Amino acid sequence: MGQISLDEDDCLVRELDSRYYGFLDLSNQKNAEIRNLVQQTVTKLQNYIANGHQNNAVTNVYDSSSRTDQKDDGDTKHLDTETKEKALVSVGDDENYVNALCKLGHLHLLLGEYSEALSAYQKYLRFRENSYWTNHTFMYGIGVAYFKLRCFKWAIKSFQELLYLSPNFTCANEVHLRLGLMLKHCGEYHIALKHLQLALLYTYPSTFSELQVKFQIAHLYETQNKHKAAKDGYEFLLKEKNISLELKADVYRQLGWMYHCVECLGEKKERETYALNFLQKSIEADPKSGQSLYLLGRCYAGINKVHDAFLAYRNSVEKSEGNADTWCSIGVLYQQQNQPTDALQAYICAVQLDKDHKAAWTNLGILYESCGQLRDAYACYLNATKQISFQKTSSLFRRKQVIRMKKDSIGLSKGLTQRIKFLEVQLSQAPLPSITSKRRTLCSIEEAWNLPISLEMNSRQQQTAQMLPRQMAKQSPVQGPPPPYPHSQLSQSPIPAKRIKEDGQQELVQHNNQTATQLNSNLMNISETLSQRNLIAMPGENKKISEQSVVDTFDDISNDIYKQNETIKLERLSQDAISNNLTEDSKHNEYNGDTSSDLTTSFKIQMDSKQLMSSVKLLPIDEPPVHFTILQVNAPPPSPPDCPPQKLTRDQLLPPTPSVHLENKKNAFSPQLQEFCLKHPIAVVRGLAGALKLDLGLFSTKTLVEANPEHSVEVRTQVHQSPDENWDTSQGKRVWACISHRSHTTIAKYAQYQASSFQDSLKLVLPQDESDKGFQGSQAMSDSDSKDSVSNSTNIVLKRKKNKINSKMLRFGTNVDLSDERKWKPQLTELQKLPAFARVISAANMLSHVGHVILGMNTVQLYMKVPGSRTPGHQENNNFCSININIGPGDCEWFAVPDAYWGGVHNLCEKNNISYLHGSWWPVLEDLYKENIPVYRFIQKPGDLVWVNAGCVHWVQSVGWCNNIAWNVGPLTARQYSLAIERYEWNKVQAFKSIVPMVHLSWNLARNIKVSDTKLFELIKMCLLQTLKNVLHIQEYVKSKGVEIRFNGRGKNEASHYCGQCEVEVFNVLFVKEQEKRHVVHCLSCALKMSPSLQGIVCLEEYRLSELQHVYDSFSLHRTQGLAYTQ
């Protein structure tokens, strides 16, 4: 690199920030000079920060992008900053001091010092709590630091906010990939797939290859049990000519293990042949792969080739000694060959490496029990039931593994618990040991813990054999003496912790011979099932992705993929495409930062369209417009609110439900009823059907079958439980995750099930086989439903649960579409009897102004229920109000939380590792009360109407056999509109599609209604302002690219458009590209990912600019004495 002067050094360091992470490898010797320079700068910055005063040697290396995010207004508040820091830093020097913290974080990140980087970033965040979102390089840097330190909750939050604020960020492809990996790990498969697919679109320089992303997508399908899609994805990769040997080895390994495990891929003999072939090819491609050797051993063991299995295991140990699964499988092999001493040593190796290895502890207990050593068996079984791992790592990191353990051991924990209780009884009654007792077959746990590994088991060089215990000690964070005998568990027994009499033991074993045999049969395969918790969810956990791990998604996948990046020079970085992107992104930061206050003054709702157009022309068009929001200008990223701070009493946590009883039609149409409903989070209108003389029989199952017997019904298969409980039967505890799997049938078939269910209840019998007859041909559970419980791959578990645990399963008929007036005219006509504010279609209903159908929102849906049918916890789409009428004959029980507390419910979902938006959850009431969250609870009887106000969180369970009808309404109030657009923007952050197109709706409202509510007017006008500004800016940018904008117009009742990639609403300016013989609409951001010059993409316009300007100018505050809307 040559000699560099001090000025050049400062210039080079000033350019460095988090965006260079993964592109500049400072660990490579060829970049030693740059590394030394960075380390020197880090020292200077640390000294400057420690001294808290101006240091001329470092003031010129502050990150230019960090400067752009600050506009000190003289009233800066630093929450939770230390008194010492406040004293050291004066107001004049504060900006430099804070920027130095951010710069220090960047440099630590590039050096791979993630803890130090996170510390610096967090200190910066304390000073910039109210403006951190304007510094995108900071958000990216802290997200990477969280990612590397496995703080996935916070990494996901940082990355989601960054993409919301700047979808064209320089490293957006890296962000999408990491989000995809983390969300896949957390079981959020639908959103993970979306992010991985978006990562493929970018033309930006990247630290990963297209094939590696496609491998992750195929692995995601495998994790979901979508085996055909996974197999097709893996086979596609093998056909690629430029696939690396490392990636090829990973693909072969995954295919081999799939053929070994997945029955649907063919006959067992044929599958085993394929499995062995693929695993051997994997080893040929990567001879150092201990994981492939381990899986090869598992396959050999499965077909009883014991010698070959042992050789594979031994070779695996040589490649990767610290693998508890391998040692556990070796133990199983020895145990099957009746070599208990060798099996004991192998299991001890496994639990020394991983004290939480449930399979090894369980098998070790079985081994001891088969040898008549009940006290050792008892200790092992107790250790098998512990969850030590939760003390060592975050629950989010372990979530997938814990789920796998639950799935693969349905009923096992219960069996272990029963076994432990049995042994407790036997040990308490056992006689004291005597001198004449027979010698033990195996040594105790304490003795075995310190035994050397036998040469027969580990026939390796003496040096390696001596290194192994040290490596184990180094890799096991909790290495030490073996877990002690749990004497406290046997406090009632006077027997000391010694061996019991052999002859007494023989009697015990003989007494429970049948139980022990069954337990042994079930648990001998525990290592073959529980050990798969890593193989299925994250196979190859210690393997590489190309140079590191393809499957270990949480090790750095950027620095080790392309070797050419290791020799990259900083001078080169400043000249290539990355530098251009960095410069472009700095402009984004500047636009979001320095000019934010100018934007606030430049764009106001008081301006007319001509003034707006003039202001837009002053905006830069050399880079794409930043992501726009319909909220206030320069608003922070939306996030769940904190709960109200007021401490509630027990009575306040159980508030009475607002309800009103209608006696006649006049009461139903009184304005006071609407005011009553709008005033409360939820309300029950009792006696509505009787007061309005509604014919609820039109919605009865009998009438529905007569009208349209073949009409489609979505079916949810659920576990029947009492309304205020939600138990995980395998773990014996209350949980939030709610089992709910999707399939489809017809009204006639569900009616048959509903009727037979009622008849069976009268006979007090539950013939499962008969209730299944009505669903033949429709029982294939869909694994694409985003509301499935925990993960979409648990459909197999249902049968296992039904058979082993005898949990009563039920089927809930949901989302029956009643929108077709030709099919359901009598039903829809009957609903016209309702008061205007509750009707499906009304001028006072925002959703009637959308201009097209949104199923279930501005149309009626029907629900067919048997007792126990659950609608899991949720808020309505885009926080719109909801109407629900119970048709009867049975009741429904409702639970509801006011919208002000939805942030607290969201946090509890996260705490329980359930997605608030995508997951299926049933809150534990005591958890809510502990968090000071009130819950309404009430019964909805036939003929009662439940009004769910905007944003109210609710969940419902049927008490009896009944049908319900429901739809959404949007009263023309500022509160309703405000909550709707807030959720619209938060959905963008969460990559969740808003099915109500709020921009399109807002323009239709401006066309169709006169608004007299000042607050509502300002909110709608702001949306129009932001949208029109964005449309004008996009059009100017597109024209600067030389792309023609063609007028396309809109058809009558044409649905709103959403981006085919990221699913955000696209308004007026559509970017269309042909994909798979379909014309797909994209937003500007996704169009630029595919083609930065927009070549090959057609740009269409829905509305003439003059029309939008006219609507914008014509929308004004309507002065009137009356209500803000009419009925």
Side-chain angles (χ1 to χ4, degrees), residues 658 673-684 837 874-884 894 896-900 902 936 938 945-954 967-977 979-980 1125:
L673 178 61
Q674 181 179 3
E675 293 172 6
F676 177 82
C677 291
L678 290 174
K679 190 166 59 176
H680 298 99
I682 196 165
V684 189
F837 79 93
H874 67 288
Q875 288 174 293
E876 295 295 318
N877 287 305
N878 288 95
N879 280 335
F880 277 91
C881 299
S882 173
I883 300 287
N884 186 295
W894 285 67
V897 170
D899 70 283
W902 81 266
Y936 293 101
F938 59 92
L945 178 148
V946 174
W947 168 275
V948 181
N949 213 341
C952 178
V953 185
H954 57 285
W967 59 92
N968 292 100
V969 294
L972 289 167
T973 64
R975 182 176 182 274
Q976 171 65 88
Y977 186 84
L979 289 175
Y1125 50 87

Side-chain angles (χ1 to χ4, degrees), residues 136-265:
H136 297 163
T137 55
F138 158 74
M139 297 180 70
Y140 179 60
I142 196 171
V144 171
Y146 281 132
F147 176 84
K148 294 300 298 181
L149 295 172
R150 301 189 174 187
C151 301
F152 302 132
K153 171 186 173 181
W154 297 105
I156 290 172
K157 180 178 184 293
S158 297
F159 285 152
Q160 285 177 334
E161 290 184 348
L162 175 60
L163 290 176
Y164 169 79
L165 293 163
S166 181
N168 298 315
F169 182 71
T170 305
C171 299
N173 47 354
E174 307 280 331
V175 174
H176 280 296
L177 175 68
R178 286 177 171 85
L179 274 173
L181 298 179
M182 289 186 289
L183 291 167
K184 179 180 71 170
H185 178 71
C186 296
E188 300 297 331
Y189 300 128
H190 175 71
I191 302 300
L193 179 61
K194 180 189 290 189
H195 282 294
L196 291 174
Q197 290 174 334
L198 287 171
L200 287 173
L201 290 180
Y202 286 86
T203 57
Y204 296 165
S206 175
T207 58
F208 53 87
S209 71
E210 180 181 340
L211 295 183
Q212 287 160 341
V213 180
K214 289 181 177 179
F215 175 87
Q216 291 293 343
I217 292 174
H219 180 253
L220 185 148
Y221 288 136
E222 182 186 355
T223 309
Q224 286 182 274
N225 282 353
K226 295 182 178 180
H227 297 117
K228 185 180 184 304
K231 177 174 170 287
D232 292 344
Y234 289 139
E235 290 175 346
F236 170 82
L237 290 171
L238 292 175
K239 295 175 184 177
E240 293 292 321
K241 295 180 180 179
N242 60 339
I243 186 173
S244 66
L245 283 176
E246 292 85 354
L247 185 55
K248 184 182 291 186
D250 293 327
V251 173
Y252 276 131
R253 185 186 67 241
Q254 297 303 118
L255 274 173
W257 190 244
M258 278 182 60
Y259 272 103
H260 175 71
C261 297
V262 181
E263 295 179 0
C264 66
L265 295 182

Side-chain angles (χ1 to χ4, degrees), residues 368 376 443-451 482-485 487 497 499:
Y368 273 123
D376 288 305
C443 56
S444 67
I445 298 177
E446 297 99 324
E447 296 166 343
W449 197 268
N450 299 313
L451 281 179
Y485 289 117
H487 303 296
R499 299 297 169 274

Side-chain angles (χ1 to χ4, degrees), residues 846-847 850 852 854 857 877-880 968 980 984 987 993-1001 1056 1058 1065:
M846 286 189 201
L847 295 175
V850 173
H852 60 81
I854 305 177
M857 293 204 68
N877 287 305
N878 288 95
N879 280 335
F880 277 91
N968 292 100
Y984 178 82
N987 286 347
K993 182 178 179 180
S994 292
I995 66 173
V996 181
M998 289 304 299
V999 173
H1000 176 78
L1001 172 60
S1056 301
Y1058 291 84
E1065 182 187 359

Side-chain angles (χ1 to χ4, degrees), residues 355 361 379-380 382-383 386 445-446 481-487:
K355 284 193 176 181
W361 280 119
C380 292
L382 277 182
N383 284 318
K386 291 179 180 178
I445 298 177
E446 297 99 324
Y485 289 117
H487 303 296

Side-chain angles (χ1 to χ4, degrees), residues 729-767:
T729 49
S730 67
Q731 298 294 311
K733 63 180 182 180
R734 290 189 296 179
V735 295
W736 279 55
C738 179
I739 293 178
S740 183
H741 299 287
R742 185 170 67 177
S743 60
H744 292 85
T745 187
T746 63
I747 285 180
K749 289 180 179 179
Y750 189 85
Q752 180 183 351
Y753 164 74
Q754 197 178 38
S756 64
S757 170
F758 178 72
Q759 292 169 358
D760 292 342
S761 71
L762 297 179
K763 299 174 184 178
L764 297 178
V765 292
L766 298 168

Side-chain angles (χ1 to χ4, degrees), residues 716-943:
R716 295 288 179 156
T717 303
Q718 302 173 334
V719 180
H720 187 281
Q721 304 192 66
S722 62
D724 55 354
E725 292 184 341
N726 188 53
W727 287 87
D728 180 341
T729 49
S730 67
Q731 298 294 311
K733 63 180 182 180
R734 290 189 296 179
V735 295
W736 279 55
C738 179
I739 293 178
S740 183
H741 299 287
R742 185 170 67 177
S743 60
H744 292 85
T745 187
T746 63
I747 285 180
K749 289 180 179 179
Y750 189 85
Q752 180 183 351
Y753 164 74
Q754 197 178 38
S756 64
S757 170
F758 178 72
Q759 292 169 358
D760 292 342
S761 71
L762 297 179
K763 299 174 184 178
L764 297 178
V765 292
L766 298 168
Q768 183 68 40
D769 294 337
E770 288 185 14
S771 66
D772 284 343
K773 289 180 181 177
F775 288 83
Q776 290 178 0
S778 64
Q779 289 200 48
M781 300 296 181
S782 169
D783 55 4
S784 62
D785 180 27
S786 63
K787 278 285 190 179
D788 277 1
S789 68
V790 185
S791 72
N792 294 321
S793 57
T794 52
N795 48 355
I796 300 172
V797 179
L798 289 177
K799 294 180 181 177
R800 194 180 302 155
K801 271 194 168 187
K802 183 169 60 182
N803 294 334
K804 289 190 176 183
I805 302 180
N806 296 320
S807 296
K808 180 185 175 184
M809 306 302 293
L810 62 86
R811 293 180 172 87
F812 169 25
T814 182
N815 297 340
V816 183
D817 175 29
L818 303 186
S819 63
D820 192 338
E821 293 185 6
R822 294 169 298 178
K823 290 183 177 181
W824 309 105
K825 186 174 181 181
Q827 286 80 7
L828 298 179
T829 302
E830 190 69 15
L831 295 180
Q832 291 300 313
K833 294 180 180 179
L834 293 170
F837 79 93
R839 288 178 195 159
V840 183
I841 300 173
S842 168
N845 181 359
M846 286 189 201
L847 295 175
S848 297
H849 296 274
V850 173
H852 60 81
V853 167
I854 305 177
L855 290 178
M857 293 204 68
N858 55 12
T859 65
V860 181
Q861 282 190 333
L862 178 132
Y863 305 87
M864 307 174 73
K865 303 178 180 181
V866 296
S869 297
R870 286 183 166 181
T871 301
H874 67 288
Q875 288 174 293
E876 295 295 318
N877 287 305
N878 288 95
N879 280 335
F880 277 91
C881 299
S882 173
I883 300 287
N884 186 295
I885 299 176
N886 185 6
I887 303 302
D891 299 339
C892 289
E893 184 163 11
W894 285 67
F895 303 83
V897 170
D899 70 283
Y901 293 87
W902 81 266
V905 180
H906 170 273
N907 293 339
L908 285 171
C909 283
E910 280 196 341
K911 184 178 179 181
N912 286 276
N913 300 316
I914 304 290
S915 170
Y916 182 79
L917 285 176
H918 304 96
S920 179
W921 42 272
W922 191 266
V924 176
L925 294 179
E926 285 304 320
D927 291 351
L928 297 174
Y929 300 146
K930 288 177 184 177
E931 295 298 319
N932 197 46
I933 298 174
V935 181
Y936 293 101
R937 183 174 182 176
F938 59 92
I939 295 294
Q940 178 193 26
K941 295 186 174 297

